Amino acid sequence: LVFGAVATVPWPITDRLTCLLGHALEEKRLADALRGALDDADPLTRNAYKIPLARRLAQRAVLMLAA
């Protein structure tokens, strides 16, 4: 899974999701995994809203793919 349009280059987060392998997919566990996915992000003044938005979109995407 890779974020696009949130940085100057694609932002891969697959390594953050490996902790989910071998476990039942639960929303809280997924949210915890995604929380750190953008820890290194340094938003510009007017686009800080993109960080929580990207986390929510990634969570929805993973849950939809798992369904």
Side-chain angles (χ1 to χ4, degrees):
L1 189 58
V2 176
F3 289 126
V6 296
T8 56
V9 296
W11 193 289
I13 63 165
T14 306
D15 60 328
R16 298 292 183 158
L17 301 178
T18 57
C19 66
L20 301 174
L21 296 175
H23 298 282
L25 185 60
E26 300 168 350
E27 286 192 46
K28 183 182 181 332
R29 184 185 301 270
L30 177 57
D32 290 345
L34 291 171
R35 188 167 293 114
L38 292 166
D39 280 350
D40 294 334
D42 186 19
L44 300 174
T45 305
R46 294 186 177 173
N47 70 357
Y49 70 92
K50 287 185 178 182
I51 293 174
L53 176 63
R55 285 186 180 118
R56 286 192 306 271
L57 289 172
Q59 185 171 5
R60 282 187 191 173
V62 171
L63 290 173
M64 286 175 60
L65 288 169

